[in-house]
Amino acid sequence: MREEEKNTSLKKFFKKRWVYPTVYIASAALILTGVLWFQNSNTENATDSEKFGYETPGKNQFNEPADEVARSMENIVLPLSQKDRTNAVIKTKFYEDTANEADQEAAIVVYQNQYHPNTGIDIAVEESEAFDVMAALSGTVTKVQEDALLGNVIEIKHDDNIISRYSSVKDMKVAVGDKIDQGQALATAGKSLFNEEAGVHVHFEIRKDGVPVNPENYLNKPFSELQEASMQEDGSTDSEKSETEQPEKSETDKETSGTEEEPAKDEKSSTEEDRSTSDDESAKEEETSTDEKPSTDKEESSSDEKNADDMKDETTNNNKNQDA
């Protein structure tokens, strides 16, 4: 009787509405506490590993400075603000030995009746007498010099012995040793005695291993491309040299193709001559054959006449013998 009473009491207990929700909530709370306890144990182990000198995988394992990697991925841009780049005009281009005569003349600066090849590009902005000069690349300022002839000079050093130079500027806003980010204002564009014809402008140069390179060849291209370029003896890079050699190769290809076509023409003419000579020979053979045919006919007719005469003589002789 007592067991039956216990069973009936349990059934009555589980029939109540609040029993199952409380069981679910209690089980969920137990599971959640177990998960939190497991996570806390992992974090404690991680802190213990730091005490013993272990490095977490989230740190830089290769000891590579992040700034240098970011700078190598920068695209070289004009040293102007985004607004002024749309109205930028290059007054004087970079002097290149491989350029044609007209471009070389346009890239020469005349100062005191002397001709100087331009080692950079002179940039102006249309309808603007004063515009800000920005850093084309990130780097460190190594030179800030007042120069009446060049109109003040600012130099910024980059990786792999590459230097960017800004001259013909005023109101300089940086000092030697400053870390410069790309697009940071350096100064304001001004004038220079060296190139007065350019007016208000900024003279922008890029030098690799002390040799000036054409900035236009690397505009809107990653800085790593300039880093990987190797300088030639004439001051040009590998990419510039390959660009200048391509048209020369095309001309030589044209010359070789022209020389190759001439023998083909000679072969055609020789075949035509052979055909004409063979035709002439065949015509001559036909003429000789036609000439020979009448002669044979004449000989045959003459032989027939002789045979007829002989027959006549025989008949006459026979008649004479009969008469006798």
Side-chain angles (χ1 to χ4, degrees):
M1 294 294 293
R2 291 180 180 178
E3 291 180 357
E4 292 178 357
E5 290 177 356
K6 289 180 180 179
N7 292 329
T8 55
S9 63
L10 287 172
K11 289 180 181 179
K12 291 179 181 180
F13 177 76
F14 283 108
K15 285 181 180 180
K16 294 180 180 181
R17 294 180 180 179
W18 55 269
V19 173
Y20 287 104
T22 54
V23 172
Y24 293 148
I25 292 170
S27 60
L30 291 172
I31 293 170
L32 183 61
T33 53
V35 171
L36 293 174
W37 176 80
F38 181 75
Q39 289 181 349
N40 290 327
S41 64
N42 287 333
T43 54
E44 289 176 358
N45 292 330
T47 53
D48 292 337
S49 64
E50 290 179 357
K51 290 178 182 179
F52 290 102
Y54 297 108
E55 293 183 356
T56 57
K59 294 184 179 179
N60 189 356
Q61 298 178 355
F62 300 99
N63 295 324
E64 292 180 356
D67 293 338
E68 292 183 3
V69 177
R71 289 174 182 176
S72 63
M73 297 299 293
E74 287 180 350
N75 288 337
I76 302 173
V77 295
L78 286 173
L80 306 173
S81 63
Q82 188 67 33
K83 180 182 177 181
D84 292 333
R85 287 175 197 163
T86 56
N87 298 324
V89 178
I90 297 177
K91 292 287 187 178
T92 311
K93 292 191 173 185
F94 181 84
Y95 183 89
E96 289 183 321
D97 296 332
T98 56
N100 54 37
E101 293 182 358
D103 292 338
Q104 287 181 348
E105 290 179 359
I108 291 176
V109 179
V110 181
Y111 176 70
Q112 292 184 352
N113 297 327
Q114 293 181 353
Y115 298 93
H116 302 273
N118 197 19
T119 56
I121 55 176
D122 297 332
I123 309 166
V125 177
E126 291 182 349
E127 299 178 357
S128 180
E129 290 295 330
F131 55 90
D132 292 331
V133 177
M134 306 292 185
L137 288 167
S138 301
T140 305
V141 179
T142 57
K143 184 177 182 180
V144 178
Q145 181 179 356
E146 294 182 357
D147 193 323
L149 178 62
L150 301 177
N152 303 331
V153 179
I154 297 174
E155 284 187 1
I156 299 177
K157 185 179 180 181
H158 313 284
D159 298 330
D160 294 335
N161 200 18
I162 296 173
I163 294 174
S164 60
R165 178 180 293 180
Y166 312 80
S167 60
S168 185
V169 294
K170 61 181 181 180
D171 300 332
M172 293 176 285
K173 302 174 183 179
V174 293
V176 176
D178 291 347
K179 300 289 184 180
I180 302 299
D181 294 328
Q182 187 181 41
Q184 183 176 340
L186 303 177
T188 307
K191 296 181 179 181
S192 66
L193 296 175
F194 185 72
N195 191 3
E196 292 181 341
E197 294 181 358
V200 178
H201 70 283
V202 55
H203 179 79
F204 177 54
E205 291 185 14
I206 296 177
R207 293 175 178 264
K208 181 178 174 63
D209 298 329
V211 180
V213 299
N214 190 352
E216 288 189 84
N217 292 338
Y218 297 97
L219 288 177
N220 300 320
K221 293 181 180 179
F223 179 66
S224 58
E225 186 171 338
L226 179 59
Q227 288 178 303
E228 295 172 358
S230 59
M231 303 302 297
Q232 303 295 327
E233 292 180 357
D234 56 355
S236 61
T237 58
D238 289 336
S239 59
E240 294 172 2
K241 192 171 183 180
S242 60
E243 290 176 358
T244 56
E245 285 179 354
Q246 284 179 356
E248 293 177 357
K249 288 182 180 179
S250 61
E251 291 177 358
T252 54
D253 292 337
K254 290 180 181 179
E255 292 177 356
T256 53
S257 62
T259 55
E260 288 176 356
E261 289 176 356
E262 290 178 356
K265 293 180 180 178
D266 294 337
E267 290 177 359
K268 290 181 180 178
S269 61
S270 62
T271 53
E272 290 176 356
E273 290 177 357
D274 295 337
R275 288 180 182 175
S276 62
T277 52
S278 62
D279 293 335
D280 294 337
E281 290 177 356
S282 62
K284 288 180 181 179
E285 289 177 356
E286 289 177 357
E287 289 177 357
T288 53
S289 63
T290 52
D291 293 338
E292 288 175 355
K293 285 181 181 179
S295 62
T296 55
D297 294 336
K298 288 180 182 179
E299 290 176 355
E300 290 177 356
S301 62
S302 61
S303 62
D304 292 335
E305 289 176 356
K306 287 180 181 180
N307 291 326
D309 292 337
D310 292 336
M311 291 293 288
K312 287 180 181 180
D313 293 336
E314 288 179 357
T315 54
T316 52
N317 290 326
N318 292 324
N319 292 326
K320 287 179 180 180
N321 290 327
Q322 290 177 358
D323 294 334

